[in-house]
Amino acid sequence: MSLRRILRAPAIQALLCQLAAFPLTLLVVFLLARAGAHPSYLTAALVQGACAAALAGWRRLARWWLAIQLLFPLAVFGASQFEVPPWLFLAVFLFMLVLYWSTFRTQVPYYPSGREAWEAVARQLPQGRELAVIDIGSGLGGLVLHLARRRPDVRATGIELAPLPWLASWLRARFAGSRAVFLRGDYESLDFADYDAVFAYLSPAAMTALWHKARREMRPGSMLMSYEFAIAESTASIAVDVPETGRTLYIWHF
């Protein structure tokens, strides 16, 4: 991966904003002290958060990053007020690492789709013939296990990059005796031509790359399904409302 691509990742830019905000915070605290004020650590945390959020806005990061930038120093200050053992921070970090793994690069956090989405996908799949279906970013494996159980004619596969969700889905399939298959890896390594249907519940940031890959590789008669997130470059063949969730299942036929 090139350095430029790494630096473009929102999480890296957010980190750089926090680092850049630190000297600004020191300057503001110094000026307040020179003016006769007595800035506290809480004041410094507020200034740090505000500066980092302003820099994130200048870098045009998503709005929720602005909230994270503002609240992160306050969270650190709050944690410092309690006698939390250092190993606990390491444990939380490691847990988040194996759960979200390369979210900083892919910009795809963990989104559970839910049973209503699984049912909508099952209804839209062609009937009366064997199908190969893959869920890219399969998380805990709910959709794949559901299809393997509901449709004996479906060869259901999931692929997940983050280690912890992949392990959980693999164990669920083993303990349930399911036919579902779970792969660990990046969906970029797949050939979409091997599948009759590709399902994705990713994020808006990932949809352009997904579309380009699907357009290159998917066979005539196959279908791409995206839950909630549309593709700006192409109008979906079908848009199916999922009333229980208020979301939409978008489908492109090739």
Side-chain angles (χ1 to χ4, degrees):
M1 187 191 307
S2 68
L3 178 61
R4 180 175 297 180
R5 185 177 178 185
I6 293 175
L7 293 176
R8 282 203 302 264
I12 299 300
Q13 292 198 41
L15 174 61
L16 293 176
C17 287
Q18 284 288 344
L19 294 175
F22 185 67
L24 296 176
T25 300
L26 292 179
L27 177 61
V28 171
V29 170
F30 173 76
L31 293 175
L32 289 173
R34 286 290 300 270
H38 301 282
S40 64
Y41 287 115
L42 176 59
T43 301
L46 287 168
V47 173
Q48 172 72 18
C51 290
L55 289 172
W58 171 66
R59 292 299 302 164
R60 297 184 178 179
L61 295 182
R63 290 183 179 179
W64 54 275
W65 274 114
L66 274 63
I68 291 175
Q69 297 289 68
L70 178 63
L71 296 175
F72 177 73
L74 294 173
V76 172
F77 171 77
S80 70
Q81 304 306 299
F82 302 95
E83 296 183 0
V84 180
W87 62 263
L88 184 59
F89 290 101
L90 177 61
V92 171
F93 170 76
L94 292 176
F95 173 77
M96 299 299 286
L97 179 64
V98 296
L99 178 61
Y100 291 105
W101 202 244
S102 62
T103 295
F104 80 95
R105 173 176 63 86
T106 62
Q107 303 181 54
V108 180
Y110 172 57
Y111 285 135
S113 51
R115 183 171 295 276
E116 295 82 5
W118 309 343
E119 293 288 349
V121 170
R123 288 193 296 267
Q124 294 301 317
L125 292 175
Q127 304 290 324
R129 62 184 178 93
E130 292 186 355
L131 300 170
V133 179
I134 189 161
D135 178 1
I136 58 175
S138 51
L140 299 179
L143 170 64
V144 180
L145 291 165
H146 179 78
L147 290 177
R149 181 173 59 252
R150 173 169 172 167
R151 292 283 303 269
D153 55 341
V154 168
R155 176 163 54 88
T157 304
I159 186 168
E160 174 58 52
L161 189 57
L164 187 59
W166 167 80
L167 179 60
S169 59
W170 185 84
L171 289 173
R172 290 180 69 188
R174 299 290 78 74
F175 287 134
S178 173
R179 299 178 298 106
V181 174
F182 291 99
L183 309 173
R184 183 177 175 271
D186 192 332
Y187 79 84
E188 287 288 348
S189 64
L190 299 174
D191 184 351
F192 282 179
D194 295 334
Y195 302 95
D196 299 292
V198 175
F199 173 83
Y201 188 22
L202 302 177
S203 79
M207 299 312 294
T208 295
L210 172 64
W211 173 245
H212 291 166
K213 180 176 176 63
R215 191 172 56 179
R216 286 194 311 268
E217 300 176 358
M218 296 193 74
R219 295 178 283 104
S222 61
M223 58 196 303
L224 173 67
M225 314 174 81
S226 173
Y227 186 52
E228 186 173 355
F229 304 117
I231 296 173
E233 291 85 348
S234 178
T235 302
S237 307
I238 304 174
V240 179
D241 291 329
V242 185
E244 300 87 345
T245 66
R247 299 187 175 103
T248 302
L249 176 65
Y250 298 97
I251 302 173
W252 291 261
H253 291 291
F254 291 85

